[in-house]
């Protein structure tokens, strides 16, 4: 429910009825239980609104809780632009997804919640610019924040950046149990039920640095595999477990409950649409893709299993089978029909490395490929990049994560042909914490992949971008030590891309 421009008298009446509701008395003794222990968040910025998120916490919650939200033009909340009341329900983990509307485009706002006699911390958010507005875009990409692999120092630094948008590209949680010797343990065993996924999100969202990053800017989010199960593909799990559809439904529900997605995105059974599109003024169209929910199973798996393998091209004809798809044919078509030739940039926010990365010399069919990424679905990749080439789009930039490494690459219509033109640019960002392959293996394969300009698996952090109509500037922000909660961060490398010419140039 949205209430705009509420007269002060009505607001006070509302507050009074909240305070004296009989249900409130039952919780009077629990006044010291934090009700906003998982922080707040905002996301999905549009020219006229965005989604404001929180989840009410405590072991003693009733089925329904009234939660008031406020959105202000200033950080002191003197100029209220909108306010409303939402009902947090136990059936949806007492999550709140408020959707203010009718706001000014291209503007910063501040928001906070009130429930059960407590007020949340305040967060900063923003609307997107109007579709025809001249705009710039400062944003960052991040992914893969495995709790037990390190501290979230990167988020503390991200919260200090002056960003319009944070794009999170998958692996918000990891479903695994933790070994005893890790720096901080996941609670419980493998997450595979609604309760255990909810508990896992609660663990991650208890982190103050992650909360600060959420409170600093609106986020755009896509998921990858670990929000459900390592290497799952559509309705097939890595271990070919029965009832995987039920597990996926539980995982998707918990994901929606904990992320700033609108009510319209609430999952139905094991389906939730995260695919989406956002225009950022006259500057860029942002496409958000889902590479998990609709994909074909990975090619040539190990016997009796699903999931990824690393296989020789000549031993696995499925790798190049045009009948296989990573995005699902419907989503492929949606993207093919949705490229924007009027704006200088198309940003593709998706999960994993799109550039071909062969682990051996790929001549004579001897290429060696990891089947979970785009290399396992090369016909799907060729269709996508072929459309970019056919439409003569210049400013296509693919953003990714998943491989826990910083890769900067040129994307080509045909990676096996040296003369094939560069059609797009790729920035695949490293993990917040999760560990990668040894650097010497990445180095050893670099010469087989000359379109890759940068490849580092030994860096943790995020990529920061400044986009205007002429160029994209990129900084690879890298922690000194992911195991140090107070780690410093620095810029390991910088690149730029010109809107008129695809391809990454070192700065
Ligand atoms: Fe990951």
């Amino acid at each position: 429910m949205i209430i705009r421009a509420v007269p002060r008298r009505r607001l006070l009446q509302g507050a009074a009825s909240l305070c004296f509701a009989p249900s409130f008395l039952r919780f009077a003794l629990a006044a010291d239980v934090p009700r906003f222990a998982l922080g707040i968040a905002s996301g999905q910025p549009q020219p006229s609104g965005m989604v404001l998120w929180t989840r009410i916490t405590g072991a003693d919650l009733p089925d329904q809780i009234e939660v008031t939200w406020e959105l202000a033009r200033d950080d002191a909340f003197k100029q209220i632009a909108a306010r409303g009341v939402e009902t947090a329900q136990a059936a949806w983990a007492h999550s709140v997804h408020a959707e203010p509307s009718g706001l000014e485009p291209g503007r910063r706002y501040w928001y906070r919640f009130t429930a059960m006699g407590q007020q949340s911390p305040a967060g900063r958010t923003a609307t997107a610019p109007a579709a025809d507005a001249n705009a710039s875009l400062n944003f960052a990409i991040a992914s893969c924040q495995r709790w037990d692999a390190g501290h979230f120092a990167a988020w503390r630094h991200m919260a200090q950046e002056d960003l319009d948008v944070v794009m999170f590209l998958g692996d918000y949680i990891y479903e695994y149990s933790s070994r005893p010797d890790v720096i901080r343990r996941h609670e419980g065993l493998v997450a595979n039920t609604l309760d255990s996924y909810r508990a896992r999100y609660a663990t991650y969202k208890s982190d103050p640095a992650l909360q600060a990053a959420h409170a600093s800017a609106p986020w755009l989010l896509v998921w990858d595999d670990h929000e459900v199960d390592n290497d799952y593909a559509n309705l097939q799990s890595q271990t070919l477990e029965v009832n995987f559809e039920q597990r996926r439904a539980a995982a998707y529900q918990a994901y929606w409950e904990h992320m700033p997605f609108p009510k319209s995105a609430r999952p139905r059974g094991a389906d939730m649409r995260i695919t989406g599109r956002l225009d950022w003024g006259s500057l860029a169209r942002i496409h958000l893709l889902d590479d998990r929910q609709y994909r074909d199973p990975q090619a040539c798996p190990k016997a009796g299993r699903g999931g990824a393998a690393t296989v020789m091209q000549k031993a696995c004809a499925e790798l190049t089978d045009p009948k296989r798809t990573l995005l699902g044919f419907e989503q492929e078509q949606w993207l093919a029909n949705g490229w924007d030739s009027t704006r200088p940039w198309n940003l593709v926010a998706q999960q994993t490395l799109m550039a071909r990365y062969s682990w051996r010399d790929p001549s004579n069919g001897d290429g060696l490929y990891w089947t979970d990424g785009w290399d396992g679905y090369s016909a799907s990749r060729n269709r996508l990049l072929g459309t970019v080439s056919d439409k003569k789009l210049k400013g296509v930039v693919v953003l990714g994560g998943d491989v826990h490494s910083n890769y900067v690459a040129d994307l080509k219509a045909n990676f096996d042909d040296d003369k094939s033109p560069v059609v797009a640019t790729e920035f695949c960002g490293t993990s917040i914490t999760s560990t990668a392959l040894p650097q010497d293996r990445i180095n050893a394969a670099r010469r087989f992949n000359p379109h890759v300009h940068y490849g580092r698996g030994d860096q943790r952090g995020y990529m920061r971008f400044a986009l205007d109509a002429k160029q994209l500037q990129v900084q690879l922000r890298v922690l000194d030590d992911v195991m140090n909660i107070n780690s410093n961060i620095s810029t390991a490398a910088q690149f730029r891309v010109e809107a008129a010419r695809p391809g990454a140039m070192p700065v």
Side-chain angles (χ1 to χ4, degrees):
M1 178 171 66
I2 296 167
I3 306 169
R4 296 201 62 233
V6 185
R8 186 164 170 76
R9 180 171 46 81
R10 258 182 62 201
L11 173 71
L12 293 172
Q13 281 170 357
S17 64
L18 196 67
C19 286
F20 295 110
S23 62
F24 181 77
L25 298 176
R26 283 192 284 137
F27 307 106
L29 294 175
D32 56 339
V33 175
R35 300 307 179 188
F36 298 97
L38 305 185
I40 59 173
S42 75
Q44 307 274 324
Q46 302 288 326
S48 62
M50 76 293 285
V51 179
L52 309 177
W53 175 92
T54 193
R55 176 187 165 190
I56 309 301
T57 49
D60 54 352
L61 300 177
D63 273 0
Q64 301 204 342
I65 303 165
E66 298 244 298
V67 182
T68 304
W69 56 267
E70 294 177 288
L71 187 82
R73 296 188 183 90
D74 62 312
D75 60 358
F77 289 83
K78 291 208 163 56
Q79 302 173 53
I80 300 295
R83 64 163 62 88
V85 179
E86 294 286 325
T87 303
Q89 301 177 56
W92 298 96
H94 296 102
S95 61
V96 176
H97 302 73
E99 297 172 61
S101 62
L103 305 176
E104 293 167 53
R107 194 187 201 295
R108 284 210 163 137
Y109 289 94
W110 286 260
Y111 64 101
R112 64 188 178 192
F113 301 88
T114 308
M116 301 179 76
Q118 292 183 19
Q119 189 167 71
S120 76
R124 190 177 74 185
T125 187
T127 47
D132 59 353
N134 285 326
S136 59
L137 175 59
N138 290 302
F139 69 101
I141 62 169
S143 59
C144 297
Q145 50 173 346
R146 186 167 169 167
W147 175 267
D148 57 7
H151 286 297
F152 288 175
W155 286 127
R156 189 167 47 78
H157 293 288
M158 177 99 76
Q160 301 301 317
E161 310 264 14
D162 196 23
L163 300 173
D164 298 311
V165 170
V166 173
M167 297 185 197
F168 191 84
L169 303 180
D171 291 356
Y172 193 98
I173 58 164
Y174 281 72
E175 80 283 14
Y176 299 133
S177 58
S178 292
R179 292 201 321 260
D181 58 343
V182 290
I183 190 162
R184 51 180 186 172
R185 293 185 70 175
H186 285 140
E187 289 167 40
L189 302 174
V190 173
N192 55 11
T193 62
L194 183 55
D195 282 348
S196 55
Y197 284 118
R198 284 172 170 170
R200 192 57 56 90
Y201 281 102
T203 297
Y204 280 60
K205 283 183 161 286
S206 70
D207 189 283
L210 176 59
Q211 290 186 10
H214 273 297
S216 72
W219 286 32
L220 293 170
L221 293 125
V222 295
W223 54 34
D224 196 24
D225 52 341
H226 288 287
E227 284 86 350
V228 182
D229 175 49
N230 181 49
D231 283 355
Y232 86 93
N234 199 322
L235 287 172
Q236 177 179 289
S237 84
Q238 186 182 21
T239 57
L240 308 179
E241 64 195 80
V242 292
N243 299 326
F244 183 69
E245 188 168 351
Q246 283 174 33
R247 182 177 177 187
R248 194 177 96 171
Y252 283 9
Q253 178 173 341
Y255 180 79
W256 180 84
E257 288 170 350
H258 292 84
M259 297 297 145
F261 276 89
K263 295 182 188 75
S264 60
R266 191 155 58 191
R268 290 183 182 83
D271 300 316
M272 176 176 163
R273 182 181 166 124
I274 63 165
T275 304
R277 188 171 277 142
L278 168 66
D279 290 336
W280 195 266
S282 59
L283 179 70
R285 175 165 286 183
I286 304 167
H287 311 264
L288 298 148
L289 303 185
D290 180 348
D291 86 346
R292 283 290 155 194
Q293 190 171 190
Y294 315 111
R295 68 160 70 191
D296 282 306
Q298 291 87 348
C300 307
K302 294 176 185 131
R305 285 178 69 85
T310 301
V311 300
M312 296 276 290
Q313 173 79 67
K314 62 186 170 195
C316 182
E318 271 192 298
L319 281 178
T320 53
D321 183 347
K323 291 195 288 296
R324 297 177 64 256
T325 170
L326 184 65
L327 299 176
F329 287 105
E330 200 178 312
Q331 189 178 209
E332 280 191 20
Q333 203 56 53
W334 173 89
L335 181 61
N337 294 338
W339 294 110
D340 185 354
S341 56
T342 66
R343 292 176 173 82
W345 301 98
N346 281 267
L347 307 181
V348 183
Q350 52 89 55
Q351 287 79 8
T352 191
L353 182 69
M354 188 175 284
R356 191 206 67 189
Y357 208 78
S358 179
W359 296 97
R360 286 173 51 161
D361 184 346
S363 52
N364 306 317
D366 281 340
L368 183 68
Y369 297 109
W370 182 57
T371 59
D372 192 60
W374 284 95
D375 280 328
Y377 303 81
S378 60
S380 208
R381 175 174 60 201
N382 291 346
R383 286 191 291 270
L384 191 158
L385 294 174
T387 312
V388 171
S389 176
D390 291 348
K391 291 184 183 290
K392 300 187 167 53
L393 299 163
K394 297 292 183 228
V396 173
V397 177
V398 174
L399 307 166
D402 180 39
V403 289
H404 310 169
S405 304
N406 278 318
Y407 285 107
V408 177
D410 294 340
L411 296 175
K412 305 179 77 166
N414 181 358
F415 288 101
D416 295 320
D417 176 2
D418 284 349
K419 296 190 191 70
S420 178
V422 176
V423 299
T425 318
E426 174 164 34
F427 295 93
C428 185
T430 193
S431 60
I432 293 291
T433 55
S434 309
T435 50
L437 294 171
Q439 185 61 32
D440 57 357
R441 282 186 59 193
I442 294 171
N443 289 342
R446 281 287 301 283
R447 63 197 169 101
F448 309 132
N449 303 284
H451 49 278
V452 176
H453 298 299
Y454 191 91
R456 289 289 292 269
D458 55 351
Q459 299 174 336
R460 309 278 77 80
Y462 55 89
M463 288 184 180
R464 182 172 73 184
F465 298 82
L467 183 69
D468 64 31
K470 288 206 169 64
Q471 68 171 353
L472 175 67
Q473 295 173 278
V474 187
Q475 296 180 318
L476 278 54
R477 304 282 286 160
V478 175
L479 292 174
D480 292 351
D481 179 7
V482 73
M483 297 300 181
N484 177 0
I485 198 167
N486 296 313
S487 172
N488 285 325
I489 201 160
S490 59
T491 298
Q494 301 189 67
F495 291 85
R496 58 186 285 272
V497 184
E498 292 176 0
R501 192 160 69 111
M505 293 176 284
V507 174

